[in-house]
Amino acid sequence: MQPFTHIASPAVPLPIEDVDTDQIIPARFLKATTRDGFGDNLFRDWRYDQEGRAKADFVLNTGVYNGQILVAGRNFGCGSSREHAAWAIYDYGFKAVVSSFFADIFKGNALNNGLLPVQVSPEYLHSLFAAIEADPGARISIDLAEQQIRIEATGEAYRFDIDPYKKMCLLNGYDDIDYLLSLRPQIEAFEQARTAAFI
Amino acid sequence: MGKTLFDKIWDAHTVSAVDGGQQVVYIDRHFIHEVTSPQAFDGLSARNLPVFRPDQTIATADHNVPTINQHLPIAEPLSRHQVQKLVENCAQFGVELYGLGHPYQGIVHVIGPELGITQPGMTIVCGDSHTSTHGAFGCIAFGIGTSQVEQVLATQCLLQSRPKRMRITVDGELQPGVLSKDIILYIISRLSAAGGTGYFVEYAGSAIRSLSMEARMTICNMSIEMGARGGLIAPDEETFNYVRGREFAPQGEAFEQAVAQWRELYTDEDAVFDKEYHFRAEDIQPMITYGTNPGMGMGIVEAIPAAESVDNPATYRKSLDYMGFAPGQLLLGQPVQYVFIGSCTNSRIEDLRLVAQYVAGKEKAPGVEVIVVPGSRQVAAQAKAEGLDLILAGAGMALREPGCSACLGMNEDKVPAGAYCVSTSNRNFEGRQGPGARTLLASPLTAAAAAIHGRIVDVREELASAGLALV
């Protein structure tokens, strides 16, 4: 996993609620056996019509917005557990997703792939959308060590929460699996010590 | 203070705690399938790691398999490659595979319980969000991403933060024609598609207790549709009787010993939940969804809510536009072009029996395409043994071969753009059943009635006038 420390970038607004993982990457594009290339089909059916032509009015196609930060409505990433959703967003070029609420599995998948989910208050999310609407080039900075997101033009900032262990992993680019593998002796001891209880 | 059922199981599986709240949780059973496992096996290969506990890992092919002519090679090259990759990975890493053609093949959340692999008190994961299904047996069961599939393959453990606890109690008696699918669609419509996020749910109450194991699985299956990590139901005699004698369940004396332990799996009287909801079974009608998430559901005789009554009118309008519906509209009488009966939510033998009983001697409406897909080869075999396949075929709805099918349209079973499909599956997201497809989630009975009438009907009226007692 690539480390995440801080970014400063314009943002892409997607002020829709309950964006589910079938919208992020439809099931018919889950047939790859590697992690690469999913960005091409990010938001496929919102981005392209059935003949594969770009839909001019979708936010990724208007040419107005770009950057490494996706700002979305509440309950982002609900639905299926497909990690391909996090891979697609990251592969497209986003490094962080900001919302007032994330679905659990998506949030976990994002954290495991160096994609930072930044949960902010509904009020701050509103401010972000307003700032981006006023100036599509408005720069947003995110500092993970400080757990702070900031609208550079106005200085309006928000301190976000993140699990301390996952923060450490992201800052250093560590994967959970490295940690779990280091626990193998403990895991084996746990298996040995178990009575028959509940198995 | 007493403990909840969830906490009893969780604590019995906690290997250690990490600073900051994450815990290392031991996983008893790990189901894998073709779509979310190839990258995880590649990760093991890259690190030169074996599967740590292959005996606790079970594989099947379900998501993108065809439901017609499964004995032939899969026509679609990408699907064929993905299924072949699963075959190769299972052979290389020593994992048991119930692949295409195997008598145990089927949807992962159907075969686990029917084979007795799923047992009370276990922790169960799978790279699939509907793993919550197994909670019906009093398990902590939840969906995970592919990185976590790799972690479980490598260590049989996961890092997890402990979710909050929610109890949803449904007391009373269901009306005739109202099924467990209606209970869970009702609950989700009340709590919303995000109402359970951060929680693990225990379902309780006399209405839940009165359900069969298969009906309980339908409830737990859709826990994820309100955002919950999972849902579970305390095991009871119904549970023990279901598990008894199944292939991978403990046998003989070992089974009696297991049952003695399983009887400890309940929430203590004085345990405290972070959130509690109470519903009355009598208030629940046959349900139907009108929007593009499972929280957008209503009683079948109700009208689609007004835009002013929702939190985000822009998202709401987008959703209704996609569905081709308007606020205030009734869905009774709405013509439909497709009916899908299947998925890990409603593809078990009781579902097929109910559908067959309803459609016996009737014929599907002209112009309606009906796709009926059993959850497993064992379900299909049982249906045939009971002659259900003939009844269904007589009504113009031939029983297909098992798989996830039109629930997510990874295979050929898709609903075309603009068409309405009454579906017994779990998600009505945009494009879920095919680009542009319009999904209306409902119970198997409501779906069967839509197939016969070609439109949405309230089955309660028909049951009453025909004097039928189906459920």
Side-chain angles (χ1 to χ4, degrees):
Chain A
M1 185 168 87
Q2 290 295 315
F4 185 109
T5 52
H6 62 273
I7 55 175
S9 159
V12 176
L14 190 66
I16 299 168
E17 297 185 349
D18 302 316
V19 174
D20 60 76
T21 54
D22 276 84
Q23 305 321 309
I24 298 170
I25 181 90
R28 63 188 189 278
F29 298 110
L30 305 185
K31 295 182 185 183
T33 54
T34 67
R35 293 175 183 236
D36 310 319
F38 288 101
D40 292 346
N41 293 311
L42 175 68
F43 297 120
R44 173 78 200 198
D45 293 337
W46 287 350
R47 213 166 129 200
Y48 300 102
D49 66 17
Q50 289 203 54
E51 281 72 47
R53 291 175 302 227
K55 294 182 181 176
D57 58 347
F58 184 61
V59 66
L60 295 182
N61 297 334
T62 57
V64 177
Y65 305 98
N66 60 60
Q68 298 182 314
I69 302 169
L70 179 66
V71 182
R74 73 186 289 278
N75 199 26
F76 185 83
C78 60
S80 135
S81 62
R82 62 190 69 165
E83 193 160 315
H84 313 64
W87 298 339
I89 294 169
Y90 194 83
D91 188 55
Y92 182 86
F94 292 113
K95 297 283 180 281
V97 186
V98 185
S99 178
S100 57
F101 198 77
F102 288 95
D104 280 335
I105 306 180
F106 174 81
K107 190 199 267 183
N109 287 339
L111 288 166
N112 283 338
N113 285 278
L115 175 69
L116 180 67
V118 179
Q119 187 163 329
V120 299
S121 68
E123 295 74 23
Y124 192 77
L125 186 69
H126 184 77
S127 299
L128 279 172
F129 282 133
I132 300 164
E133 191 181 325
D135 172 12
R139 286 172 71 82
I140 314 292
S141 61
I142 299 173
D143 185 326
L144 177 57
E146 295 297 321
Q147 295 177 223
Q148 191 193 70
I149 177 169
R150 190 166 164 275
I151 303 166
E152 291 194 349
T154 62
E156 202 176 343
Y158 184 89
R159 188 184 156 81
F160 59 88
D161 285 332
I162 183 168
D163 178 271
Y165 164 79
K166 295 309 294 187
K167 176 179 172 180
M168 182 274 292
C169 287
L170 278 170
L171 285 170
N172 295 288
Y174 296 160
D175 293 319
D176 281 354
I177 195 164
D178 297 312
Y179 177 73
L180 288 170
L181 285 168
S182 76
L183 294 183
R184 281 279 272 273
Q186 251 179 288
I187 295 167
E188 284 172 5
F190 174 86
E191 288 177 322
Q192 295 290 323
R194 286 183 92 182
T195 60
F198 308 151
I199 184 168
Chain B
M1 191 175 74
K3 278 172 128 179
T4 67
L5 169 57
F6 174 86
D7 289 307
K8 287 181 183 178
I9 302 172
W10 182 276
D11 291 346
H13 289 83
T14 305
V15 176
S16 67
V18 188
D19 287 347
Q22 298 257 337
Q23 288 171 310
V24 178
V25 179
Y26 189 81
I27 303 302
D28 292 322
R29 295 291 180 271
H30 184 197
F31 293 101
I32 60 174
H33 61 81
E34 73 276 23
V35 177
T36 57
S37 68
Q39 296 87 350
F41 281 114
D42 281 353
L44 292 190
S45 295
R47 291 168 187 266
N48 203 17
L49 290 169
V51 171
F52 182 54
R53 294 291 178 249
D55 294 350
Q56 290 165 238
T57 313
I58 306 94
T60 193
D62 56 3
H63 276 64
N64 64 26
V65 302
T67 55
I68 293 173
N69 289 331
Q70 278 186 359
H71 61 287
L72 299 177
I74 299 175
E76 209 270 313
L78 290 174
S79 296
R80 187 172 66 238
H81 176 66
Q82 211 171 37
V83 171
Q84 183 55 31
K85 194 87 183 151
L86 181 70
V87 173
E88 289 165 13
N89 282 327
C90 287
Q92 183 188 337
F93 288 90
V95 171
E96 184 81 62
L97 168 66
Y98 302 134
L100 281 182
H102 193 286
Y104 293 167
Q105 180 267 339
I107 303 175
V108 61
H109 311 307
V110 174
I111 69 169
E114 79 182 1
L115 289 169
I117 297 169
T118 302
Q119 296 165 25
M122 284 182 168
T123 48
I124 298 176
V125 297
C126 174
D128 187 289
S129 59
H130 294 110
T131 307
S132 58
T133 310
H134 307 263
F137 291 80
C139 296
I140 293 182
F142 55 92
I144 56 177
T146 297
S147 294
Q148 293 171 309
V149 171
E150 184 181 337
Q151 291 160 27
V152 179
L153 288 174
T155 69
Q156 208 58 34
C157 285
L158 276 179
L159 278 159
Q160 290 286 301
S161 51
R162 188 190 281 260
K164 290 181 280 186
R165 307 147 194 87
M166 178 188 290
R167 180 162 59 189
I168 299 175
T169 305
V170 188
D171 279 317
E173 255 187 77
L174 292 173
Q175 304 170 34
V178 177
L179 308 183
S180 70
K181 179 65 164 286
D182 299 307
I183 300 179
I184 190 62
L185 284 173
Y186 177 84
I187 291 171
I188 301 166
S189 77
R190 289 295 183 275
L191 270 66
S192 89
T197 304
Y199 291 89
F200 212 97
V201 179
E202 179 173 349
Y203 301 97
S206 61
I208 302 292
R209 200 56 50 224
S210 71
L211 298 173
S212 71
M213 286 314 297
E214 295 193 359
R216 292 180 193 184
M217 285 186 240
T218 300
I219 302 253
C220 291
N221 171 275
M222 291 190 71
S223 302
I224 183 70
E225 307 311 336
M226 50 185 164
R229 288 309 308 276
L232 80 178
I233 296 171
D236 56 15
E237 293 306 319
E238 185 78 19
T239 320
F240 309 145
N241 288 335
Y242 180 96
V243 177
R244 179 179 283 116
R246 290 188 185 263
E247 169 130 17
F248 296 102
Q251 307 290 332
E253 181 58 25
F255 182 79
E256 299 312 320
Q257 286 170 5
V259 169
Q261 293 187 343
W262 294 342
R263 288 188 198 284
E264 302 299 315
L265 293 169
Y266 56 85
T267 290
D268 295 330
E269 289 267 334
D270 55 345
V272 177
F273 288 83
D274 298 293
K275 210 164 208 172
E276 293 233 37
Y277 291 95
H278 294 267
F279 298 107
R280 279 165 28 95
E282 292 79 3
D283 293 340
I284 305 174
Q285 304 173 29
M287 296 288 293
I288 190 97
T289 63
Y290 55 85
T292 53
N293 73 57
M296 301 175 79
M298 63 183 186
I300 199 145
V301 299
E302 289 168 5
I304 295 173
E308 300 77 53
S309 66
V310 302
D311 289 342
N312 187 332
T315 298
Y316 187 70
R317 267 194 304 276
K318 181 179 185 305
S319 178
L320 291 193
D321 283 349
Y322 180 86
M323 292 301 294
F325 293 147
Q329 186 178 339
L330 286 172
L331 290 187
L332 272 185
Q334 166 70 39
V336 303
Q337 295 77 43
Y338 278 75
V339 170
F340 173 56
I341 295 168
S343 86
C344 56
T345 315
N346 284 117
S347 65
R348 298 179 178 81
I349 192 67
E350 289 176 9
D351 299 314
L352 297 184
R353 280 182 193 139
L354 188 65
V355 170
Q357 199 183 343
Y358 174 84
V359 304
K362 302 186 179 105
E363 203 171 331
K364 77 175 176 71
V368 178
E369 183 81 30
V370 188
I371 302 171
V372 188
V373 181
S376 70
R377 290 192 88 84
Q378 293 209 82
V379 169
Q382 180 67 29
K384 284 175 187 160
E386 295 179 19
L388 306 182
D389 57 330
L390 299 178
I391 296 172
L392 292 168
M397 39 185 91
L399 189 62
R400 296 190 178 206
E401 293 175 273
C404 299
S405 180
C407 173
L408 80 171
M410 280 195 78
N411 67 355
E412 299 75 13
D413 306 340
K414 291 182 173 66
V415 176
Y420 289 101
C421 178
V422 177
S423 178
T424 67
S425 56
N426 39 58
R427 291 195 172 128
N428 51 350
F429 297 150
E430 283 184 35
R432 173 84 177 175
Q433 297 192 289
R438 292 160 161 172
T439 303
L440 305 149
L441 300 177
S443 79
L445 199 48
T446 297
I452 297 300
H453 295 277
R455 57 193 168 81
I456 294 167
V457 298
D458 182 353
V459 285
R460 289 172 302 181
E461 293 174 12
E462 202 175 351
L463 296 183
S465 64
L468 279 174
L470 277 177
V471 258

